[in-house]
Amino acid sequence: MMSLFKKKYVLFSILGVLVISIATIGIVNNQSKPDQTVYNVVNLPANSITFSEVE
């Protein structure tokens, strides 16, 4: 009887730690996201040649 109680206690303890860990990771990941998306605009001068026929 005591062995069954210990097994249940260990199982519920592990499940509790797992739930708390997953919740903590979710909260930390949610807080690290910025409210607004940041866009960086880069202007690069470029030269290009367009060929219409392949020889």
Side-chain angles (χ1 to χ4, degrees):
M1 178 97 175
M2 194 66 171
S3 175
L4 182 62
F5 176 73
K6 286 184 181 181
K7 287 181 183 179
K8 285 184 180 181
Y9 178 75
V10 170
L11 179 65
F12 285 125
S13 298
I14 291 172
L15 287 175
V17 169
L18 186 64
V19 167
I20 291 171
S21 299
I22 291 172
T24 302
I25 291 171
I27 290 170
V28 169
N29 284 339
N30 197 16
Q31 288 178 350
S32 66
K33 293 180 182 176
D35 292 337
Q36 295 179 352
T37 306
V38 177
Y39 295 102
N40 293 328
V41 177
V42 179
N43 295 318
L44 298 174
N47 295 326
S48 64
I49 300 173
T50 305
F51 295 102
S52 59
E53 295 180 12
V54 178
E55 294 182 12

